[in-house]
Amino acid sequence: MKLENPAPLQWQFSQRADAMKSSAIREILKVTMRPDITSFAGGLPSPLTFPVEHMKTAFDRVLSQQGKMALQYGPTDGYLPLREWIAASLSTNGAQISAEQVLMVSGSQQGLDLLGKVLIDEGSKVLVETPSYLGALQAFALYGAKFESVPSDEFGLQPETIEAIAGGARMLYSLPNFQNPTGRTLPTERRFKLVETCARLGLPLIEDDPYGALSYQNAPLPKMLSMNPSGVIYMGSFSKVLTPGIRLGYVVAPRPLILKMEQAKQATDLHTAQLTQMVVYEAIKDGFLDQHVPTIRKLYGDQCQAMLDALQQYFPASCSWSKPEGGMFIWVTLPEHIDAGALLNEAVEQEKVAFVPGAPFYANVAQKNTLRLSFVTVPPEQIRAGVERLGKLIASKL
Amino acid sequence: MKLENPAPLQWQFSQRADAMKSSAIREILKVTMRPDITSFAGGLPSPLTFPVEHMKTAFDRVLSQQGKMALQYGPTDGYLPLREWIAASLSTNGAQISAEQVLMVSGSQQGLDLLGKVLIDEGSKVLVETPSYLGALQAFALYGAKFESVPSDEFGLQPETIEAIAGGARMLYSLPNFQNPTGRTLPTERRFKLVETCARLGLPLIEDDPYGALSYQNAPLPKMLSMNPSGVIYMGSFSKVLTPGIRLGYVVAPRPLILKMEQAKQATDLHTAQLTQMVVYEAIKDGFLDQHVPTIRKLYGDQCQAMLDALQQYFPASCSWSKPEGGMFIWVTLPEHIDAGALLNEAVEQEKVAFVPGAPFYANVAQKNTLRLSFVTVPPEQIRAGVERLGKLIASKL
């Protein structure tokens, strides 16, 4: 039985669906996967850092010893031993975090989606950095967020500017360590001032921290969570320290918010894969990350230095760029008359080099003469050669 | 540095978060996990059916052969070989489904969430069966759905009633095979009539089919998708035929909807775990399900029969119940004066038997003298003893 010549449906999408745009970065990534392109456009960790054998052993052990449980439905809040491990790891600088404050999510992006679901109404004001992480802007925009960009400089957002613009805001979203896209780090004094200001204003402060463990040299700066666990919502991820393809992250927040997010998660995907959580716990419980993460720091630090050296050598003096102390990204500011979006086409077609234009990372007024470079998946010689070609192209525009 | 005596945040949640209620079923399940309780309340597949060794081999193989790729970020629409496998498996009865129409999701529940995201605005009318799957009601309610219950009988919804109530509706949600919660099956003629009516009205028809493969005896009825691929949105899952804890499902729909859902999924969780998709493909590509699923059918069919026999023997004649031809649930209708919600407390405390009251499955007017029984995780002798105790309790109310 088959319907003959049915008319195609005339789709009526929701208003939020009509307003969605495809991620500019994802569209660019499709082009830059051509093998002849040196791509600084990616946001992917280096597969050289994936501990494949260690993960294989962990999968084997969990499936051998607790296979039935690992493959069954699990609790919405997550696998308790892993939540306890996370709580303990975040109980630093005198802060006491309990497993009850930890919700496991299917990657940090889901944490952003759930935050949007439970905190944002159509038109709600949300404060963000200038520029900010594109994935967060997209997740919050889907729920109708109206963004207010907090004035920011090379050290991140300026806490003293917040009070004047925070009226009626639902939250402030920040990424203090080696920010995506700029690579910049918020200094300790600004962190404290930010925590203090948000607490005084009753404004939930989101601390998104996927890159925090990737400091090349220095000890990590104190987490804002540790400064005020009752006012900070912390987001962590295993994507950058273990592997991203398993999709595992977590949100740490005061109990009333965790309960609401857990309810929202029930309706969203029931729970995050139990097997994945048990395997990650198996993989890290005996201190594996303490030996493994330094190897990532070393690789990324060396490649970052290679790119900084190449920028110094090959980019025109009228360009400037961030000097990250960790993470995966360098942020370049071109002379004001150069639009990085227009430059990208020429860079790809003529010079076989790709990057991400900066404009999509701005929630409000875009600074179009900016771009993001990632150095983590490109070997040093290619970094050097790619930066050289890009530098020449930019020089030809001066 | 630590903030001294911060005031706790006064949370302002979104309107949708304020309206959320915890799943009645999840709350009940917490109580019924006590080991002294015989629980017919679960919705979990039997762990006896989980092919642990086979999955272990598949994980080992994928991580050994394609570990780096499996652990890297992946495409939002999913792993192409698996999408091709799904498209081929659904190209039945002359229908041609392509991989482009398949979106991989983190369990069927995420498919429901994404459908809600892209199709439902605050106040949008959504047609549902009477009663309907609670997880779908929760997912759609989160986006502001206003439900209209389609008149339904023991064979499912009555297609001839739809036209009068469909004006302005965004979609019709149906679960035609061994429905959760009733266990009933929509006959072929009704399927065709439903497909034809929805096509004529321009109404997207959701065919949620997690249990379709679990027919005890008979060949499966034709899928509505095969009757009109341009008007039906099909949802499938590996939870009931492989294992649920890995969280893997899929949505098959016309391309314009798949593109919108893919965009929404980008902002929701980037993509579903690449490793999981590669492992499931590895596990099923050589026909494993053809041997494995019959063992599930046999187990569930035998236990269903044990429960039907026990109901016949021990339940008062004034009760009636469905006789499922597949799936995991039996639906019981009690004499009208008995409220199954009130009965549950006594059943648990006095008789150590649990079930799920029927009321939460009704989107509009609840029929409170109904309840859902699952037989899949309880051995036959315990089914018999539990039904006997429950039957006596009900008889004491007559």
mmCIF file with all atom_site columns, all heavy atoms in Angstrom, chain B residues 313-336:
data_model
loop_
_atom_site.group_PDB
_atom_site.id
_atom_site.type_symbol
_atom_site.label_atom_id
_atom_site.label_alt_id
_atom_site.label_comp_id
_atom_site.label_asym_id
_atom_site.label_entity_id
_atom_site.label_seq_id
_atom_site.pdbx_PDB_ins_code
_atom_site.Cartn_x
_atom_site.Cartn_y
_atom_site.Cartn_z
_atom_site.occupancy
_atom_site.B_iso_or_equiv
_atom_site.pdbx_formal_charge
_atom_site.auth_seq_id
_atom_site.auth_comp_id
_atom_site.auth_asym_id
_atom_site.auth_atom_id
_atom_site.pdbx_PDB_model_num
ATOM 1   N N   . GLN B 1 313 ? -6.109  -15.600 35.283 1.00 0.00 ? 313 GLN B N   1
ATOM 2   C CA  . GLN B 1 313 ? -6.382  -16.422 36.448 1.00 0.00 ? 313 GLN B CA  1
ATOM 3   C C   . GLN B 1 313 ? -6.689  -15.596 37.697 1.00 0.00 ? 313 GLN B C   1
ATOM 4   O O   . GLN B 1 313 ? -7.576  -15.954 38.478 1.00 0.00 ? 313 GLN B O   1
ATOM 5   C CB  . GLN B 1 313 ? -5.166  -17.324 36.711 1.00 0.00 ? 313 GLN B CB  1
ATOM 6   C CG  . GLN B 1 313 ? -5.407  -18.344 37.824 1.00 0.00 ? 313 GLN B CG  1
ATOM 7   C CD  . GLN B 1 313 ? -4.312  -19.411 37.857 1.00 0.00 ? 313 GLN B CD  1
ATOM 8   O OE1 . GLN B 1 313 ? -3.409  -19.431 37.009 1.00 0.00 ? 313 GLN B OE1 1
ATOM 9   N NE2 . GLN B 1 313 ? -4.409  -20.312 38.828 1.00 0.00 ? 313 GLN B NE2 1
ATOM 10  N N   . TYR B 1 314 ? -5.973  -14.502 37.899 1.00 0.00 ? 314 TYR B N   1
ATOM 11  C CA  . TYR B 1 314 ? -6.021  -13.831 39.199 1.00 0.00 ? 314 TYR B CA  1
ATOM 12  C C   . TYR B 1 314 ? -6.736  -12.489 39.217 1.00 0.00 ? 314 TYR B C   1
ATOM 13  O O   . TYR B 1 314 ? -7.008  -11.968 40.289 1.00 0.00 ? 314 TYR B O   1
ATOM 14  C CB  . TYR B 1 314 ? -4.596  -13.628 39.735 1.00 0.00 ? 314 TYR B CB  1
ATOM 15  C CG  . TYR B 1 314 ? -3.871  -14.917 39.987 1.00 0.00 ? 314 TYR B CG  1
ATOM 16  C CD1 . TYR B 1 314 ? -2.715  -15.237 39.284 1.00 0.00 ? 314 TYR B CD1 1
ATOM 17  C CD2 . TYR B 1 314 ? -4.355  -15.830 40.934 1.00 0.00 ? 314 TYR B CD2 1
ATOM 18  C CE1 . TYR B 1 314 ? -2.041  -16.424 39.517 1.00 0.00 ? 314 TYR B CE1 1
ATOM 19  C CE2 . TYR B 1 314 ? -3.688  -17.021 41.164 1.00 0.00 ? 314 TYR B CE2 1
ATOM 20  C CZ  . TYR B 1 314 ? -2.529  -17.320 40.454 1.00 0.00 ? 314 TYR B CZ  1
ATOM 21  O OH  . TYR B 1 314 ? -1.878  -18.483 40.678 1.00 0.00 ? 314 TYR B OH  1
ATOM 22  N N   . PHE B 1 315 ? -6.965  -11.862 38.075 1.00 0.00 ? 315 PHE B N   1
ATOM 23  C CA  . PHE B 1 315 ? -7.597  -10.539 38.106 1.00 0.00 ? 315 PHE B CA  1
ATOM 24  C C   . PHE B 1 315 ? -9.114  -10.699 38.079 1.00 0.00 ? 315 PHE B C   1
ATOM 25  O O   . PHE B 1 315 ? -9.645  -11.610 37.429 1.00 0.00 ? 315 PHE B O   1
ATOM 26  C CB  . PHE B 1 315 ? -7.116  -9.679  36.936 1.00 0.00 ? 315 PHE B CB  1
ATOM 27  C CG  . PHE B 1 315 ? -5.980  -8.745  37.295 1.00 0.00 ? 315 PHE B CG  1
ATOM 28  C CD1 . PHE B 1 315 ? -4.960  -9.174  38.137 1.00 0.00 ? 315 PHE B CD1 1
ATOM 29  C CD2 . PHE B 1 315 ? -5.931  -7.442  36.817 1.00 0.00 ? 315 PHE B CD2 1
ATOM 30  C CE1 . PHE B 1 315 ? -3.906  -8.325  38.474 1.00 0.00 ? 315 PHE B CE1 1
ATOM 31  C CE2 . PHE B 1 315 ? -4.888  -6.583  37.158 1.00 0.00 ? 315 PHE B CE2 1
ATOM 32  C CZ  . PHE B 1 315 ? -3.877  -7.027  37.984 1.00 0.00 ? 315 PHE B CZ  1
ATOM 33  N N   . PRO B 1 316 ? -9.822  -9.826  38.779 1.00 0.00 ? 316 PRO B N   1
ATOM 34  C CA  . PRO B 1 316 ? -11.304 -9.892  38.782 1.00 0.00 ? 316 PRO B CA  1
ATOM 35  C C   . PRO B 1 316 ? -11.856 -9.733  37.365 1.00 0.00 ? 316 PRO B C   1
ATOM 36  O O   . PRO B 1 316 ? -11.237 -9.075  36.518 1.00 0.00 ? 316 PRO B O   1
ATOM 37  C CB  . PRO B 1 316 ? -11.707 -8.690  39.646 1.00 0.00 ? 316 PRO B CB  1
ATOM 38  C CG  . PRO B 1 316 ? -10.508 -8.360  40.456 1.00 0.00 ? 316 PRO B CG  1
ATOM 39  C CD  . PRO B 1 316 ? -9.324  -8.747  39.649 1.00 0.00 ? 316 PRO B CD  1
ATOM 40  N N   . ALA B 1 317 ? -12.999 -10.301 37.135 1.00 0.00 ? 317 ALA B N   1
ATOM 41  C CA  . ALA B 1 317 ? -13.616 -10.282 35.803 1.00 0.00 ? 317 ALA B CA  1
ATOM 42  C C   . ALA B 1 317 ? -13.989 -8.862  35.374 1.00 0.00 ? 317 ALA B C   1
ATOM 43  O O   . ALA B 1 317 ? -14.158 -8.589  34.176 1.00 0.00 ? 317 ALA B O   1
ATOM 44  C CB  . ALA B 1 317 ? -14.860 -11.166 35.785 1.00 0.00 ? 317 ALA B CB  1
ATOM 45  N N   . SER B 1 318 ? -14.078 -7.943  36.330 1.00 0.00 ? 318 SER B N   1
ATOM 46  C CA  . SER B 1 318 ? -14.446 -6.570  35.986 1.00 0.00 ? 318 SER B CA  1
ATOM 47  C C   . SER B 1 318 ? -13.246 -5.755  35.468 1.00 0.00 ? 318 SER B C   1
ATOM 48  O O   . SER B 1 318 ? -13.394 -4.588  35.140 1.00 0.00 ? 318 SER B O   1
ATOM 49  C CB  . SER B 1 318 ? -15.053 -5.876  37.207 1.00 0.00 ? 318 SER B CB  1
ATOM 50  O OG  . SER B 1 318 ? -14.212 -6.045  38.336 1.00 0.00 ? 318 SER B OG  1
ATOM 51  N N   . CYS B 1 319 ? -12.093 -6.379  35.417 1.00 0.00 ? 319 CYS B N   1
ATOM 52  C CA  . CYS B 1 319 ? -10.926 -5.729  34.802 1.00 0.00 ? 319 CYS B CA  1
ATOM 53  C C   . CYS B 1 319 ? -10.787 -6.201  33.353 1.00 0.00 ? 319 CYS B C   1
ATOM 54  O O   . CYS B 1 319 ? -11.199 -7.310  33.006 1.00 0.00 ? 319 CYS B O   1
ATOM 55  C CB  . CYS B 1 319 ? -9.637  -6.098  35.537 1.00 0.00 ? 319 CYS B CB  1
ATOM 56  S SG  . CYS B 1 319 ? -9.580  -5.585  37.254 1.00 0.00 ? 319 CYS B SG  1
ATOM 57  N N   . SER B 1 320 ? -10.180 -5.369  32.526 1.00 0.00 ? 320 SER B N   1
ATOM 58  C CA  . SER B 1 320 ? -9.840  -5.812  31.175 1.00 0.00 ? 320 SER B CA  1
ATOM 59  C C   . SER B 1 320 ? -8.415  -5.370  30.864 1.00 0.00 ? 320 SER B C   1
ATOM 60  O O   . SER B 1 320 ? -7.872  -4.504  31.542 1.00 0.00 ? 320 SER B O   1
ATOM 61  C CB  . SER B 1 320 ? -10.824 -5.235  30.160 1.00 0.00 ? 320 SER B CB  1
ATOM 62  O OG  . SER B 1 320 ? -10.729 -3.818  30.155 1.00 0.00 ? 320 SER B OG  1
ATOM 63  N N   . TRP B 1 321 ? -7.825  -5.982  29.846 1.00 0.00 ? 321 TRP B N   1
ATOM 64  C CA  . TRP B 1 321 ? -6.440  -5.639  29.514 1.00 0.00 ? 321 TRP B CA  1
ATOM 65  C C   . TRP B 1 321 ? -6.149  -5.927  28.049 1.00 0.00 ? 321 TRP B C   1
ATOM 66  O O   . TRP B 1 321 ? -6.850  -6.714  27.409 1.00 0.00 ? 321 TRP B O   1
ATOM 67  C CB  . TRP B 1 321 ? -5.449  -6.399  30.409 1.00 0.00 ? 321 TRP B CB  1
ATOM 68  C CG  . TRP B 1 321 ? -5.719  -7.877  30.479 1.00 0.00 ? 321 TRP B CG  1
ATOM 69  C CD1 . TRP B 1 321 ? -5.237  -8.837  29.637 1.00 0.00 ? 321 TRP B CD1 1
ATOM 70  C CD2 . TRP B 1 321 ? -6.547  -8.544  31.438 1.00 0.00 ? 321 TRP B CD2 1
ATOM 71  N NE1 . TRP B 1 321 ? -5.705  -10.062 30.010 1.00 0.00 ? 321 TRP B NE1 1
ATOM 72  C CE2 . TRP B 1 321 ? -6.509  -9.921  31.107 1.00 0.00 ? 321 TRP B CE2 1
ATOM 73  C CE3 . TRP B 1 321 ? -7.317  -8.116  32.542 1.00 0.00 ? 321 TRP B CE3 1
ATOM 74  C CZ2 . TRP B 1 321 ? -7.224  -10.872 31.843 1.00 0.00 ? 321 TRP B CZ2 1
ATOM 75  C CZ3 . TRP B 1 321 ? -8.015  -9.077  33.269 1.00 0.00 ? 321 TRP B CZ3 1
ATOM 76  C CH2 . TRP B 1 321 ? -7.966  -10.434 32.923 1.00 0.00 ? 321 TRP B CH2 1
ATOM 77  N N   . SER B 1 322 ? -5.109  -5.265  27.550 1.00 0.00 ? 322 SER B N   1
ATOM 78  C CA  . SER B 1 322 ? -4.701  -5.457  26.151 1.00 0.00 ? 322 SER B CA  1
ATOM 79  C C   . SER B 1 322 ? -3.980  -6.789  25.997 1.00 0.00 ? 322 SER B C   1
ATOM 80  O O   . SER B 1 322 ? -3.442  -7.334  26.966 1.00 0.00 ? 322 SER B O   1
ATOM 81  C CB  . SER B 1 322 ? -3.791  -4.304  25.709 1.00 0.00 ? 322 SER B CB  1
ATOM 82  O OG  . SER B 1 322 ? -2.618  -4.258  26.499 1.00 0.00 ? 322 SER B OG  1
ATOM 83  N N   . LYS B 1 323 ? -4.024  -7.327  24.767 1.00 0.00 ? 323 LYS B N   1
ATOM 84  C CA  . LYS B 1 323 ? -3.289  -8.565  24.461 1.00 0.00 ? 323 LYS B CA  1
ATOM 85  C C   . LYS B 1 323 ? -2.253  -8.230  23.391 1.00 0.00 ? 323 LYS B C   1
ATOM 86  O O   . LYS B 1 323 ? -2.489  -8.449  22.203 1.00 0.00 ? 323 LYS B O   1
ATOM 87  C CB  . LYS B 1 323 ? -4.240  -9.650  23.930 1.00 0.00 ? 323 LYS B CB  1
ATOM 88  C CG  . LYS B 1 323 ? -4.982  -10.425 25.008 1.00 0.00 ? 323 LYS B CG  1
ATOM 89  C CD  . LYS B 1 323 ? -6.377  -9.858  25.209 1.00 0.00 ? 323 LYS B CD  1
ATOM 90  C CE  . LYS B 1 323 ? -7.075  -10.475 26.421 1.00 0.00 ? 323 LYS B CE  1
ATOM 91  N NZ  . LYS B 1 323 ? -8.234  -9.641  26.863 1.00 0.00 ? 323 LYS B NZ  1
ATOM 92  N N   . PRO B 1 324 ? -1.102  -7.758  23.811 1.00 0.00 ? 324 PRO B N   1
ATOM 93  C CA  . PRO B 1 324 ? -0.111  -7.263  22.850 1.00 0.00 ? 324 PRO B CA  1
ATOM 94  C C   . PRO B 1 324 ? 0.412   -8.382  21.951 1.00 0.00 ? 324 PRO B C   1
ATOM 95  O O   . PRO B 1 324 ? 0.550   -9.520  22.391 1.00 0.00 ? 324 PRO B O   1
ATOM 96  C CB  . PRO B 1 324 ? 1.025   -6.742  23.729 1.00 0.00 ? 324 PRO B CB  1
ATOM 97  C CG  . PRO B 1 324 ? 0.480   -6.680  25.104 1.00 0.00 ? 324 PRO B CG  1
ATOM 98  C CD  . PRO B 1 324 ? -0.625  -7.659  25.195 1.00 0.00 ? 324 PRO B CD  1
ATOM 99  N N   . GLU B 1 325 ? 0.710   -8.027  20.726 1.00 0.00 ? 325 GLU B N   1
ATOM 100 C CA  . GLU B 1 325 ? 1.334   -8.981  19.796 1.00 0.00 ? 325 GLU B CA  1
ATOM 101 C C   . GLU B 1 325 ? 2.827   -8.737  19.686 1.00 0.00 ? 325 GLU B C   1
ATOM 102 O O   . GLU B 1 325 ? 3.503   -9.337  18.846 1.00 0.00 ? 325 GLU B O   1
ATOM 103 C CB  . GLU B 1 325 ? 0.656   -8.869  18.435 1.00 0.00 ? 325 GLU B CB  1
ATOM 104 C CG  . GLU B 1 325 ? -0.824  -9.195  18.517 1.00 0.00 ? 325 GLU B CG  1
ATOM 105 C CD  . GLU B 1 325 ? -1.514  -9.251  17.157 1.00 0.00 ? 325 GLU B CD  1
ATOM 106 O OE1 . GLU B 1 325 ? -0.963  -8.678  16.201 1.00 0.00 ? 325 GLU B OE1 1
ATOM 107 O OE2 . GLU B 1 325 ? -2.575  -9.875  17.082 1.00 0.00 ? 325 GLU B OE2 1
ATOM 108 N N   . GLY B 1 326 ? 3.346   -7.875  20.534 1.00 0.00 ? 326 GLY B N   1
ATOM 109 C CA  . GLY B 1 326 ? 4.771   -7.584  20.538 1.00 0.00 ? 326 GLY B CA  1
ATOM 110 C C   . GLY B 1 326 ? 5.066   -6.520  21.581 1.00 0.00 ? 326 GLY B C   1
ATOM 111 O O   . GLY B 1 326 ? 4.160   -6.060  22.296 1.00 0.00 ? 326 GLY B O   1
ATOM 112 N N   . GLY B 1 327 ? 6.320   -6.155  21.701 1.00 0.00 ? 327 GLY B N   1
ATOM 113 C CA  . GLY B 1 327 ? 6.676   -5.050  22.583 1.00 0.00 ? 327 GLY B CA  1
ATOM 114 C C   . GLY B 1 327 ? 6.852   -5.442  24.038 1.00 0.00 ? 327 GLY B C   1
ATOM 115 O O   . GLY B 1 327 ? 7.164   -6.592  24.359 1.00 0.00 ? 327 GLY B O   1
ATOM 116 N N   . MET B 1 328 ? 6.603   -4.484  24.928 1.00 0.00 ? 328 MET B N   1
ATOM 117 C CA  . MET B 1 328 ? 7.005   -4.638  26.327 1.00 0.00 ? 328 MET B CA  1
ATOM 118 C C   . MET B 1 328 ? 5.908   -4.365  27.349 1.00 0.00 ? 328 MET B C   1
ATOM 119 O O   . MET B 1 328 ? 6.168   -4.456  28.552 1.00 0.00 ? 328 MET B O   1
ATOM 120 C CB  . MET B 1 328 ? 8.186   -3.685  26.605 1.00 0.00 ? 328 MET B CB  1
ATOM 121 C CG  . MET B 1 328 ? 9.435   -4.004  25.779 1.00 0.00 ? 328 MET B CG  1
ATOM 122 S SD  . MET B 1 328 ? 10.767  -2.735  25.847 1.00 0.00 ? 328 MET B SD  1
ATOM 123 C CE  . MET B 1 328 ? 10.847  -2.344  27.583 1.00 0.00 ? 328 MET B CE  1
ATOM 124 N N   . PHE B 1 329 ? 4.681   -4.012  26.891 1.00 0.00 ? 329 PHE B N   1
ATOM 125 C CA  . PHE B 1 329 ? 3.692   -3.522  27.850 1.00 0.00 ? 329 PHE B CA  1
ATOM 126 C C   . PHE B 1 329 ? 2.291   -4.123  27.699 1.00 0.00 ? 329 PHE B C   1
ATOM 127 O O   . PHE B 1 329 ? 1.849   -4.392  26.576 1.00 0.00 ? 329 PHE B O   1
ATOM 128 C CB  . PHE B 1 329 ? 3.568   -1.993  27.739 1.00 0.00 ? 329 PHE B CB  1
ATOM 129 C CG  . PHE B 1 329 ? 4.869   -1.286  27.916 1.00 0.00 ? 329 PHE B CG  1
ATOM 130 C CD1 . PHE B 1 329 ? 5.508   -0.679  26.832 1.00 0.00 ? 329 PHE B CD1 1
ATOM 131 C CD2 . PHE B 1 329 ? 5.485   -1.234  29.157 1.00 0.00 ? 329 PHE B CD2 1
ATOM 132 C CE1 . PHE B 1 329 ? 6.730   -0.025  26.986 1.00 0.00 ? 329 PHE B CE1 1
ATOM 133 C CE2 . PHE B 1 329 ? 6.712   -0.583  29.315 1.00 0.00 ? 329 PHE B CE2 1
ATOM 134 C CZ  . PHE B 1 329 ? 7.332   0.022   28.225 1.00 0.00 ? 329 PHE B CZ  1
ATOM 135 N N   . ILE B 1 330 ? 1.634   -4.289  28.837 1.00 0.00 ? 330 ILE B N   1
ATOM 136 C CA  . ILE B 1 330 ? 0.199   -4.610  28.878 1.00 0.00 ? 330 ILE B CA  1
ATOM 137 C C   . ILE B 1 330 ? -0.503  -3.455  29.595 1.00 0.00 ? 330 ILE B C   1
ATOM 138 O O   . ILE B 1 330 ? 0.010   -2.921  30.587 1.00 0.00 ? 330 ILE B O   1
ATOM 139 C CB  . ILE B 1 330 ? -0.049  -5.938  29.623 1.00 0.00 ? 330 ILE B CB  1
ATOM 140 C CG1 . ILE B 1 330 ? 0.506   -7.118  28.809 1.00 0.00 ? 330 ILE B CG1 1
ATOM 141 C CG2 . ILE B 1 330 ? -1.541  -6.143  29.909 1.00 0.00 ? 330 ILE B CG2 1
ATOM 142 C CD1 . ILE B 1 330 ? 0.440   -8.457  29.522 1.00 0.00 ? 330 ILE B CD1 1
ATOM 143 N N   . TRP B 1 331 ? -1.677  -3.112  29.105 1.00 0.00 ? 331 TRP B N   1
ATOM 144 C CA  . TRP B 1 331 ? -2.446  -1.987  29.640 1.00 0.00 ? 331 TRP B CA  1
ATOM 145 C C   . TRP B 1 331 ? -3.708  -2.550  30.298 1.00 0.00 ? 331 TRP B C   1
ATOM 146 O O   . TRP B 1 331 ? -4.437  -3.312  29.667 1.00 0.00 ? 331 TRP B O   1
ATOM 147 C CB  . TRP B 1 331 ? -2.828  -1.076  28.485 1.00 0.00 ? 331 TRP B CB  1
ATOM 148 C CG  . TRP B 1 331 ? -3.536  0.216   28.803 1.00 0.00 ? 331 TRP B CG  1
ATOM 149 C CD1 . TRP B 1 331 ? -4.838  0.517   28.503 1.00 0.00 ? 331 TRP B CD1 1
ATOM 150 C CD2 . TRP B 1 331 ? -2.979  1.389   29.397 1.00 0.00 ? 331 TRP B CD2 1
ATOM 151 N NE1 . TRP B 1 331 ? -5.117  1.809   28.866 1.00 0.00 ? 331 TRP B NE1 1
ATOM 152 C CE2 . TRP B 1 331 ? -3.996  2.368   29.433 1.00 0.00 ? 331 TRP B CE2 1
ATOM 153 C CE3 . TRP B 1 331 ? -1.725  1.712   29.908 1.00 0.00 ? 331 TRP B CE3 1
ATOM 154 C CZ2 . TRP B 1 331 ? -3.795  3.650   29.957 1.00 0.00 ? 331 TRP B CZ2 1
ATOM 155 C CZ3 . TRP B 1 331 ? -1.531  2.981   30.432 1.00 0.00 ? 331 TRP B CZ3 1
ATOM 156 C CH2 . TRP B 1 331 ? -2.552  3.926   30.461 1.00 0.00 ? 331 TRP B CH2 1
ATOM 157 N N   . VAL B 1 332 ? -3.908  -2.196  31.532 1.00 0.00 ? 332 VAL B N   1
ATOM 158 C CA  . VAL B 1 332 ? -5.036  -2.739  32.286 1.00 0.00 ? 332 VAL B CA  1
ATOM 159 C C   . VAL B 1 332 ? -6.051  -1.642  32.581 1.00 0.00 ? 332 VAL B C   1
ATOM 160 O O   . VAL B 1 332 ? -5.678  -0.532  32.978 1.00 0.00 ? 332 VAL B O   1
ATOM 161 C CB  . VAL B 1 332 ? -4.555  -3.356  33.623 1.00 0.00 ? 332 VAL B CB  1
ATOM 162 C CG1 . VAL B 1 332 ? -5.740  -3.858  34.443 1.00 0.00 ? 332 VAL B CG1 1
ATOM 163 C CG2 . VAL B 1 332 ? -3.563  -4.486  33.365 1.00 0.00 ? 332 VAL B CG2 1
ATOM 164 N N   . THR B 1 333 ? -7.317  -1.953  32.364 1.00 0.00 ? 333 THR B N   1
ATOM 165 C CA  . THR B 1 333 ? -8.390  -1.039  32.753 1.00 0.00 ? 333 THR B CA  1
ATOM 166 C C   . THR B 1 333 ? -9.134  -1.650  33.937 1.00 0.00 ? 333 THR B C   1
ATOM 167 O O   . THR B 1 333 ? -9.654  -2.765  33.856 1.00 0.00 ? 333 THR B O   1
ATOM 168 C CB  . THR B 1 333 ? -9.354  -0.805  31.578 1.00 0.00 ? 333 THR B CB  1
ATOM 169 O OG1 . THR B 1 333 ? -8.595  -0.341  30.451 1.00 0.00 ? 333 THR B OG1 1
ATOM 170 C CG2 . THR B 1 333 ? -10.405 0.235   31.937 1.00 0.00 ? 333 THR B CG2 1
ATOM 171 N N   . LEU B 1 334 ? -9.143  -0.908  35.035 1.00 0.00 ? 334 LEU B N   1
ATOM 172 C CA  . LEU B 1 334 ? -9.796  -1.365  36.268 1.00 0.00 ? 334 LEU B CA  1
ATOM 173 C C   . LEU B 1 334 ? -11.252 -0.915  36.266 1.00 0.00 ? 334 LEU B C   1
ATOM 174 O O   . LEU B 1 334 ? -11.647 -0.070  35.456 1.00 0.00 ? 334 LEU B O   1
ATOM 175 C CB  . LEU B 1 334 ? -9.076  -0.755  37.478 1.00 0.00 ? 334 LEU B CB  1
ATOM 176 C CG  . LEU B 1 334 ? -7.565  -0.995  37.574 1.00 0.00 ? 334 LEU B CG  1
ATOM 177 C CD1 . LEU B 1 334 ? -6.955  -0.148  38.700 1.00 0.00 ? 334 LEU B CD1 1
ATOM 178 C CD2 . LEU B 1 334 ? -7.263  -2.465  37.799 1.00 0.00 ? 334 LEU B CD2 1
ATOM 179 N N   . PRO B 1 335 ? -12.068 -1.433  37.183 1.00 0.00 ? 335 PRO B N   1
ATOM 180 C CA  . PRO B 1 335 ? -13.413 -0.865  37.348 1.00 0.00 ? 335 PRO B CA  1
ATOM 181 C C   . PRO B 1 335 ? -13.307 0.644   37.581 1.00 0.00 ? 335 PRO B C   1
ATOM 182 O O   . PRO B 1 335 ? -12.341 1.116   38.195 1.00 0.00 ? 335 PRO B O   1
ATOM 183 C CB  . PRO B 1 335 ? -13.944 -1.575  38.596 1.00 0.00 ? 335 PRO B CB  1
ATOM 184 C CG  . PRO B 1 335 ? -13.191 -2.867  38.642 1.00 0.00 ? 335 PRO B CG  1
ATOM 185 C CD  . PRO B 1 335 ? -11.830 -2.575  38.087 1.00 0.00 ? 335 PRO B CD  1
ATOM 186 N N   . GLU B 1 336 ? -14.298 1.363   37.099 1.00 0.00 ? 336 GLU B N   1
ATOM 187 C CA  . GLU B 1 336 ? -14.167 2.811   37.021 1.00 0.00 ? 336 GLU B CA  1
ATOM 188 C C   . GLU B 1 336 ? -13.900 3.525   38.353 1.00 0.00 ? 336 GLU B C   1
ATOM 189 O O   . GLU B 1 336 ? -13.278 4.576   38.383 1.00 0.00 ? 336 GLU B O   1
ATOM 190 C CB  . GLU B 1 336 ? -15.412 3.419   36.362 1.00 0.00 ? 336 GLU B CB  1
ATOM 191 C CG  . GLU B 1 336 ? -15.055 4.172   35.089 1.00 0.00 ? 336 GLU B CG  1
ATOM 192 C CD  . GLU B 1 336 ? -16.293 4.638   34.352 1.00 0.00 ? 336 GLU B CD  1
ATOM 193 O OE1 . GLU B 1 336 ? -16.862 5.663   34.789 1.00 0.00 ? 336 GLU B OE1 1
ATOM 194 O OE2 . GLU B 1 336 ? -16.706 3.979   33.365 1.00 0.00 ? 336 GLU B OE2 1
#
